[in-house]
Amino acid sequence: MNQDTDIQLSGPFKATDGAGRAIDIKAIRMFDEGYSVVDLYVDLAAPASDGLHKDKKLIAEISARLRSLGYTGPDLAPGDPVVQEKKLIVLDTPDEFLPFAVRKGFKDLSSEFDE
């Protein structure tokens, strides 16, 4: 991922997964533009265990962190297993995330076609 096209939403924080393990999160980021769909990138300090991107408790804690930053909406969802990396979790966002992303600087390229 090119850091020049990223918007950092959160710096480092600790979260807990469903097994009670502490997870050190370095940052939560998103690309600065896209077509209505915002993928969320969660950078980890250590390699993730298999399936961590689907851990409901961890996703709930990441969602809560985003709510503390102004997001209002349901929890995020696990991203496609194919795009997960050892130290990166990719999460899908619900439609309610888009207004928050736009407030944080995301450019919705599909809005150019709303005429």
Side-chain angles (χ1 to χ4, degrees), residues 13-107:
F13 68 100
K14 289 191 183 289
T16 305
D17 69 7
R21 294 178 296 230
I23 307 294
D24 287 320
I25 296 175
K26 291 172 42 177
I28 300 175
R29 302 177 286 125
M30 64 183 177
F31 283 132
D32 64 350
E33 64 182 20
Y35 290 92
S36 296
V37 177
V38 182
D39 287 326
L40 210 61
Y41 301 91
V42 181
D43 295 312
L44 306 175
S49 58
D50 286 340
L52 189 62
H53 72 284
K54 298 183 289 187
D55 189 286
K56 291 180 182 185
K57 180 159 180 18
L58 179 62
I59 292 173
E61 290 200 13
I62 293 167
S63 299
R65 176 68 171 210
L66 292 167
R67 286 187 193 99
S68 76
L69 301 169
Y71 167 61
T72 55
D75 282 354
L76 307 176
D80 188 332
V82 175
V83 298
Q84 308 303 321
E85 296 180 13
K86 286 199 179 288
K87 292 175 115 180
L88 177 73
I89 295 174
V90 181
L91 298 174
D92 292 338
T93 60
D95 293 340
E96 294 87 348
F97 191 82
L98 184 58
F100 170 74
V102 168
R103 286 192 313 274
K104 295 295 184 179
F106 179 79
K107 182 178 179 186

